[in-house]
Amino acid sequence: MIENTEHIIQQIVSQYGTSKDKAIPVLQAVQKEFNYLPDDVLKKVCDLTGISYSRIIGVSTFYSQFRFIPAGKHLIKVCVGTACHVKGAMQVYDAFSRYLKLNPEHDTDKDGLFTLKQVACLGCCTIAPAVQIDEVTYGKVGQNDIAEILNNFLSKATEKYVEQKSWIRNSKLQGEIRLGLGSCCIASGSEDVREALMDGLKATGIHTQVKQVSCVGMCHQVPLLEVKDKNDSVTFYSKVAPQDVKNILLKHFEPANFVDKLKNNLFQKLDRLYLDNQVSSPDKCYLDVSEKPVQDFMKKQVHIATELKGVLNPIDIDEYKQKGGFEALQKCLDEYSPEEIIEMIKQSGLRGRGGAGFPTGEKWEAVYNRQSNIKYIICNGDEGDPGAFMDRMLLESFPYRIIEGMTIAAYATGATKGYFYIRAEYRLAVKRIREALAECEKHGFIGDNILNSKTSLQIEIFEGAGAFVCGEETALIASMEGKRGMPHMRPPFPAQQGFNGYPTLVNNVETFANISWIIRNGANAFNKIGTSSGKGTKVFALAGKIARGGLIEVPMGITIREIVEEIGGGIQGNKKFKAVQIGGPSGGCIPASLAETPVDYQFLNEIGAMMGSGGLVVLDETDCVIDIAKYFLSFTQNQSCGKCVYCRVGTKHILNILEKISSGKANMDDLKKLAELSFQVKKGSMCGLGKSAPNPVITTLKYFMEEYEAHISGTCPAKKCKELIMYSINEKCIGCTRCAQYCPSGAIEFNPYEKHNIDIEKCIKCDICKQVCPNEAVEKI
Amino acid sequence: MIRIKINNIFIEVPDGTMLLKAAEQLGIEIPTLCYLKDFIPSSSCMVCVVEDKYSGKFLPACSALAQTGMIIETDNDEVKKLRKNAVELLLSEHVGDCEAPCKRACPAHTNIPAINRFLAKGDFKNAAKILHKTKHGCAECAAPCEKVCRRKNIDAAVSIMQLQEFIFSQKDFKEIPSSSKSQRIAKLKFNSSYGKMRDNEKPEFLKEPENANARTEPKEIQSGFTADEAVAEAKRCLHCDCRKADICKLRLLAEKFEACQRIFELTERNDVSKIIYPENVIYEPQKCIKCGICIQITEKTEEIAFTFIGRGFKVKIGVPFTDKISKALRKTAKECVDSCPTGALAFYKS
Ligand SMILES: Cc1cc2nc3c(=O)[nH]c(=O)nc-3n(C[C@H](O)[C@H](O)[C@H](O)COP(=O)(O)O)c2cc1C
Ligand code: SF4
Ligand code: SF4
Ligand code: SF4
Ligand code: SF4
Ligand code: SF4
Ligand code: FES
Ligand code: FES
Ligand code: FES
C-alpha cells in the first residue's frame, strides 16, 4: 500500500475515532477520499480501528451509498422516485445509459468520467424528472437533453466558482429582494438567478438587500423572485431566468449614477453573459399574487410547521428570534415543568408525522418515565419515501424551529444528547443544520446550561448511508451504532432501550417543527384544527401530474379533492384525474372516485392507504396502476433488509407476479395468488417496511381490478406497459424526419417528405419518436 | 408480572418473557426454525408465528415479548397458513437435493450415495450393510438410478449397478436378497430438488468427488470391478444428497406442514455453489435460511467471523474477503455445523 494511502486513512481515523460504532462515518470519509472502497483500504481501516473485518463488510455492503468498484470522476444520479417515475425517469435513465454506452455490468463510461446511478427522490419532485450530477441538479430532464446537460455540467465544473459576497455599501438600503434557495429552487436555476442579481446590482449600483429565503412552497413557480421596493410594495416574479433579472431590477429600483455604470462596461458584461438568451421583459415573469391560482394555492393552507415560509432567511438566527423564535423554549424553561409540557403536547393531540402517527405526548412521557441518567433524542430526517421531500424542505428552511422543538423535547424528557439523522442525499439540509447548530451553540440555545437553566443538550449530525429501512426507528438506531440497519422486534421500544441501550426519543422532523407553535399558541389552538383522529396540520409534497406542485401544509381533514383541484389546480394538460398515491411505498392508491375522503389517519387507514410520511403523487389517465404497483414493489423489494422471510422473499414473488401481469403473461390464478400473498406478507413481516409494502398492490387490486383484468387479456389501458404496446406512425406524418434522427436504435428509416415507418423488430420502445414528433403522428397501439 | 392468555388459558409471566417461553410453560409447543436457545432471536423465519387477537397482529413467538392483555392463539388456521407459506417461501429460494436423485429413482430407495461414500473409503463392510437393509437385488432392475445420476451431466453416470454387483460379490455379503421382496423405505416424503444442473454449476459439483476422470471400466468385463476399480468409481459420485437430510429442520417442517416447494416459483433459481472451509466444513449458500446463528457463534471466538453480506433478497452469509476463508471456523466448526438448522453448513468427508 502506498504510504500516502495509509496516511489518509490514519487521518480519517483520528478524526472520527477508533470505536466500532463509527463504522459508517469512517466509511463515508474513506469513500470520499478514494471514490470507492478498495479491499486493502478496508482492511487497513480495520487494522487501525476496533472495527472487525466482518463488521466492515457486513456494514458496507448493507448501505447503497458504498461502492466496491471505482466510480467515474462525476456521479450522475438519475432520480427514479415516484414523481420522477411517473414523468418518465426510467426513459431518462436509459437515455443516459445509451449515451454513455453503459450496460448492466458497467455503470461507468469507458473514460471513467461519469458513473450512472439511480436514486430515489432527490427532493425536487416538482421539477421531475430530476437528475443530479455531483452537486448540480437538473430539473425537467428530457430524453433528448442528455448531451446538453453533460456539456453544461462539464463547462460548469471547469468554471472556477467564486463565492459572491453580498454587496454592501453604506448608503441607505432600498427595499429588499427575496429569492428562494431551497433544493427545488436551486435545481431550477435560482443559483444562476442569484448570480445574475448580484451582477446586476453591482452593475446598476442599486443598493438593496438580496435575501435568501426558505422554500416558499410554490415549487412549481420557481425560481421565484419577490421584490419589495422602497415603498414596501411587493411584486412576485415566477420562473425567472437570469436574463430577466436586469429588467426586473430596473423596473423597481433607481440605479445609482446609472450612466456612469453603463459607461464602465459592467452592464455590457451582463448583457454579454446572457447574449445567447433572449432578454425578456419583466412582465413575462410577473406573477400576480392577487391572481386566483396563487390565492387558491395558498388559501386552504394553514402554516404551523412551515410558519413564515418564504419570509424567513433559513439561517438568520436574529430574524428567527425577532419573529418569535425561541420564545417557546424560553417559556418552557422558565415557566413549565417537564410534566406540564408533556401534558400540553398530549392535549394538543399531536401525533407523530413520521408515518405511524403515534401520539407524541405519550411517547415523551414514556421516555420521561424511564429512570436513567443518560437519555438520547433523535430527530428522524431519513425521509426515504421516494416521492416526498417535506422533511428536506423543513430542515433546509426552518432549521431553528426544529432545533427549538428538539430542545423543548429534550427538556421535557430529560435527554441530554441529541442527533439529527439526515438522509445521505440531503446535502443542503445537512449544511443548513450544521450552520444552525453552530449559531444556536453560540447563542446558548443548545449546549450546556441552555439559557442559563440547568438543562443541557448537545446535538450532532449523523448522515445516513442510503437505506430506506433506516427510517424505521430500531434500524435507524442500529445504523447509528455502526451496524447493519436491520430492525428488531419491539418491544423493547427505543423509549425503553434505544441508542446504546439507553432510553431514546425518536421523532420525525415535522413532529418537532410543530412543537414551538403549540407552546406559543396553546394546545387548544392546535387541537381546534383538524378532525377527531388527526389534529393540526400535515405537510405534503404534492407532485406528479398536477398543475401546481409544491410543498403544502393543510389542516387534517381536508379532502383529497380540495388538495388536487383547489390547491394543486387540477391535472396538467387537460388529462383526466385518475388517482393519488398517498403515503409512498407504504401507502395506497386512492381512486378519483374516493376523492372526497378526508385526509387524516383514520380515514386513510379505512380505505387501505396510509398517511405515511406525506408524499402525495397525483396520477392521470396515462398512468397505469400496475406500473405504479410494480414501481413501488421493486422499490421496497430492493430496500428490504433481508431479515425476515415474508419481506425478503415474499416481496420478490409479488414483484414477479406483477411483472408477469404487466407483460401480459399472467392468468386469473396469478391474480388470486397475488392477492393472497400480499395479505400474507402484510401479516407475516416483522417491521413496518414489509408490513406495508403490499399496500400499493392491495389498494390497486381493490380499486382497479378491471385494469388488472385488462392486462390479463393482453392490453394496458393506459398504454404504459412496454410489453403490451407497440409504436406506430399514422397518416398525420409530414415526413419531417425528426423521429428518424432521434431514434436511438435505428428503427425508423430516414425518408424525407414521406410517411415514416417503425420497424417493430428494432424498436426499443423508448418513446423518443413520440416525444419529438411535431405533428402527433407517432402513436402507441 | 404480566398476565396473558394463550389458547384460552391464563398465565402470568415475568416482564420480558418471550411468548415462546410462556407457551412452553403451558406445555404448548410452537414450531421454530431460526431460533436457537441461548442465542439472540433473529426473527427471520416466521415459522413460530402466533396471533395476538387483542392487537390483531401476527408475532414471531421466539422474539415477541408477553405484554399485558395479549390474547394469543398458537394454532388457528391463519397461523397455520402463515407458517406453511413461510416455509414455502424459504423453499422457493432453496436450491438443493434432500435426497440424491439416484436414491429417489431406485425402486428400493437404496441409499446409493452413502454406499458410494463407504466404498470410496474402502469400507466395503458398511457399504454392504446399507445395501443389505434394502433387501433388493439389482440384477433385474433397469437401473433408473443411473439414468438420473447427476454425474451424467458432467461426463457419464456413476456405474451404480456395477458397484452394487461388486458388493454382492464380496464374501462378507451373506445373502443376496430377492428382488421380489423389495420394499421402499422412505422416512420422509418431502424432497427439495432443483431440477437440471447448469453448466456453470459443474465445477462446483466437481469440488467434492476425488475422481474427476471418466467412468471406470472394469478390466475384466465378466468379473466386474476389482476392489481398486470399485473405489475409484465410487469416488466419482458427486454426493448429491444433503448431509443433513434426516435432521434438517427445514425439511422436517416442510414434511410436517405438507409444504410444496413449487407453490411460489422464482423466474430464475439461484446457482448451486459449494464453498469448502477449513475443518472439513462445506458451505452451500443456497441452503442457508439466513438465520445468522453461525454469525453469532463465530463472532464470539473466531478471528474471522461470518457476516451477512449485501442486503434484502440478495443477502448472503460469508466471510469477509475471500483470502480469509482459511482463517474461518478454526474453533467453532462443530458448533456451527451442529447449530445450523439446515444442510447449509455441514462436514464433508464424514
Ligand atoms: C420502513 C420505514 C421507514 C420509515 N421512514 C421514516 C422516515 O423516513 N422518517 C421518519 O420520521 N419516520 C420514518 N419511519 C417511522 C419511524 O420508525 C418512527 O416511527 C418515527 O420516526 C417516529 O417519529 P414520530 O412519532 O414523530 O412520527 C419509518 C418507518 C418504517 C417502518
Ligand atoms: S419486514 Fe423487511 S425490512 Fe423489516 S425486518 Fe423484515 S426483512 Fe427487514
Ligand atoms: S417526427 Fe412525426 S411527422 Fe416527423 S417523420 Fe416522424 S412521424 Fe413523421
Ligand atoms: S438443507 Fe434441508 S431442505 Fe435443503 S436439501 Fe438439505 S435436507 Fe433438504
Ligand atoms: S452422483 Fe452419486 S449421488 Fe449423485 S446421482 Fe450419481 S450416484 Fe447418486
Ligand atoms: S449457514 Fe446455517 S446457521 Fe448460518 S445463517 Fe445459514 S442457515 Fe443459519
Ligand atoms: S426528485 Fe424525483 S421523485 Fe422526488
Ligand atoms: S424548494 Fe424552492 S420553493 Fe420549494
Ligand atoms: S423461530 Fe421465530 S422467527 Fe424463526
Side-chain angles (χ1 to χ4, degrees), chain B residues 91 94 96-98 190 192 242 244-245 248 250-251 287 342-344:
Chain B
L91 289 170
H94 197 85
D97 287 321
C98 296
F190 178 81
S192 161
C242 187
K244 289 195 182 156
C248 163
L250 179 61
R251 187 180 184 205
K287 295 181 181 172
T342 71

Side-chain angles (χ1 to χ4, degrees), chain A residues 188-209:
Chain A
S188 333
S190 72
E191 189 61 44
D192 291 342
V193 172
R194 192 181 71 100
E195 278 176 40
L197 257 177
M198 300 322 283
D199 286 345
L201 291 178
K202 215 186 258 175
T204 55
I206 293 173
H207 187 45
T208 185
Q209 185 190 1

Side-chain angles (χ1 to χ4, degrees), chain A residues 729 733-739 756 773-775 777-778:
Chain A
I729 294 173
C733 173
I734 50 170
C736 72
T737 75
R738 272 178 74 91
C739 55
H756 281 56
C773 176
N775 211 29
V778 182

Side-chain angles (χ1 to χ4, degrees), chain A residues 95-129:
Chain A
F96 268 106
S97 181
R98 279 195 303 268
Y99 188 87
L100 297 169
K101 301 197 171 58
L102 309 178
N103 57 40
E105 275 87 58
H106 294 98
D107 61 356
T108 305
D109 67 334
K110 69 175 194 324
D111 302 328
L113 200 54
F114 291 107
T115 292
L116 184 64
K117 214 180 142 184
Q118 297 181 8
V119 292
C121 197
L122 292 165
C124 321
C125 314
T126 48
I127 50 166

Side-chain angles (χ1 to χ4, degrees), chain A residues 276-540:
Chain A
D276 42 351
N277 296 316
Q278 231 185 329
V279 178
S280 65
S281 93
D283 296 333
K284 188 202 98 189
C285 311
Y286 178 67
L287 183 72
D288 186 354
V289 272
S290 60
E291 211 185 287
K292 200 162 173 304
V294 179
Q295 288 237 312
D296 283 345
F297 187 75
M298 293 298 184
K299 194 174 64 189
K300 296 250 159 157
Q301 299 197 39
V302 174
H303 301 298
I304 292 179
T306 60
E307 200 182 3
L308 295 172
K309 79 165 158 185
V311 176
L312 283 180
N313 176 337
I315 46 173
D316 186 340
I317 197 167
D318 295 322
E319 185 183 19
Y320 180 67
K321 269 162 58 187
Q322 245 170 43
K323 301 227 157 80
F326 295 112
E327 262 171 30
L329 174 64
Q330 185 89 53
K331 206 162 162 185
C332 285
L333 294 173
D334 294 348
E335 294 170 30
Y336 299 134
S337 67
E339 291 91 336
E340 284 169 325
I341 296 172
I342 290 170
E343 193 45 45
M344 201 184 302
I345 299 298
K346 271 186 171 172
Q347 227 201 335
S348 75
L350 175 64
R351 292 170 65 169
R353 301 293 192 237
F358 191 82
T360 306
E362 281 177 38
K363 200 187 259 186
W364 289 19
E365 191 169 41
V367 179
Y368 171 76
N369 283 337
R370 295 300 286 195
Q371 297 298 323
S372 168
N373 37 11
I374 300 177
K375 289 182 189 174
Y376 293 102
I377 177 168
I378 297 171
C379 175
N380 187 346
D382 196 43
E383 193 161 59
D385 172 352
F389 54 97
M390 305 74 49
D391 294 348
R392 183 215 89 211
M393 181 280 263
L394 292 172
L395 290 163
E396 282 173 6
S397 301
F398 310 104
Y400 294 117
R401 184 169 303 149
I402 298 159
I403 295 171
E404 185 178 2
M406 250 174 115
T407 314
I408 293 171
Y411 168 66
T413 55
T416 52
K417 178 92 213 194
Y419 291 91
F420 272 97
Y421 191 104
I422 303 180
R423 211 181 128 184
E425 281 86 2
Y426 289 178
R427 297 281 166 74
L428 187 60
V430 170
K431 184 171 159 255
R432 292 262 166 89
I433 292 290
R434 183 161 289 138
E435 286 168 11
L437 285 174
E439 282 293 306
C440 286
E441 182 114 42
K442 242 194 313 194
H443 286 76
F445 294 121
I446 58 170
D448 290 333
N449 302 92
I450 295 169
L451 299 173
N452 301 319
S453 68
K454 286 200 203 85
T455 303
S456 299
L457 175 70
Q458 321 293 334
I459 304 183
E460 273 180 45
I461 299 175
F462 187 97
E463 285 177 62
F468 172 57
V469 66
C470 285
E472 197 280 340
E473 52 193 18
T474 61
L476 180 143
I477 288 170
S479 81
M480 282 179 52
E481 292 168 348
K483 301 181 190 146
R484 293 165 57 86
M486 289 164 76
H488 65 67
M489 274 300 287
R490 299 174 306 176
F493 288 94
Q496 304 163 311
Q497 256 179 59
F499 187 45
N500 292 334
Y502 294 104
T504 304
L505 175 71
V506 183
N507 270 141
N508 168 260
V509 169
E510 190 185 332
T511 311
F512 282 131
N514 276 298
I515 302 299
S516 65
W517 193 95
I518 295 174
I519 304 282
R520 274 184 285 115
N521 297 279
N524 290 333
F526 191 82
N527 70 27
K528 269 214 297 277
I529 308 167
T531 61
S532 57
S533 86
K535 301 293 181 197
T537 58
K538 178 77 191 89
V539 181
F540 284 102

